[in-house]
Amino acid sequence: MENRRRRLAAGAAPGLVMLFAAGCATVPDNAVEEVLDESTGTSLTRLARPIELLTVAPRGPNADPFAYVAPFETNRMGQRQAYLWLAFPDERGESPEPSLSIADRAITLGAQRTERDAGLAAWPYERPAPWSRVFVYDVEVGTLRALGIAGEWRLLLRGPNGTATFAGTPRPPTLLTDFIARLGAADD
């Protein structure tokens, strides 16, 4: 009887490993999701997590090397608006001005917004660190389409003590295309 249990256990182990491995392989790197801002009743289409950009040149031993970019759309009783959320390190309180480009083409950002302007109790993405600055801009669907093309994203921060550049690409590469397909204004 003991030998039979060992054989069953030995035969089941590779199957369980393959089952767990298959389950892990299907988990997306990032995905589009729809959530509700319960405080305001506003529906949100957003990414599961922001797109991470890494500094191009070292910024010093105590400087955060990461910046983040993420789109989201609000839908409040059929009124839809797309936004672009940017978060970047500002350890010295320099208040740099951000600019975004894709494949060396500047991206035109709309008006800067607050949570209240967007009809939200809080942004749909968390501030990555206490020293991070967050900017949110209105963005047109055409601008999101431009962001969806293949190419490296670059976030430039121009401050009184120079310029910092962060770069990266969305993972998976179809992330922005998937996001746009889920928008209510996708045909605009």
Side-chain angles (χ1 to χ4, degrees), residues 89-104:
D90 187 17
E91 301 93 344
R92 297 182 192 133
E94 296 177 339
S95 301
E97 281 296 315
S99 64
L100 186 64
S101 64
I102 177 90
D104 294 327

Side-chain angles (χ1 to χ4, degrees), residues 30-33 35 44-52 68-74 81-87 100 109 120 123-125 135-141 143-145 147-148 153 170 174-181 183:
N30 200 351
V32 179
E33 61 184 24
V35 297
L44 296 163
T45 303
R46 53 165 271 169
L47 302 180
R49 67 179 183 282
I51 297 160
E52 187 175 277
Y68 302 87
V69 179
F72 68 95
E73 182 191 54
T74 60
Q81 175 61 50
Y83 299 94
L84 195 61
W85 177 93
L86 306 172
L100 186 64
L109 301 173
L120 299 172
W123 293 129
Y125 305 104
F135 283 85
V136 176
Y137 297 95
D138 290 342
V139 68
E140 300 293 326
V141 174
T143 301
L144 291 175
R145 283 192 184 99
L147 285 170
W153 294 25
T174 60
L175 186 60
L176 264 288
T177 307
D178 297 344
F179 176 80
I180 293 166
L183 295 182

Side-chain angles (χ1 to χ4, degrees), residues 96-119:
E97 281 296 315
S99 64
L100 186 64
S101 64
I102 177 90
D104 294 327
R105 286 184 22 218
I107 298 299
T108 303
L109 301 173
Q112 188 176 344
R113 297 298 180 188
T114 66
E115 292 99 332
R116 188 173 181 177
D117 293 338

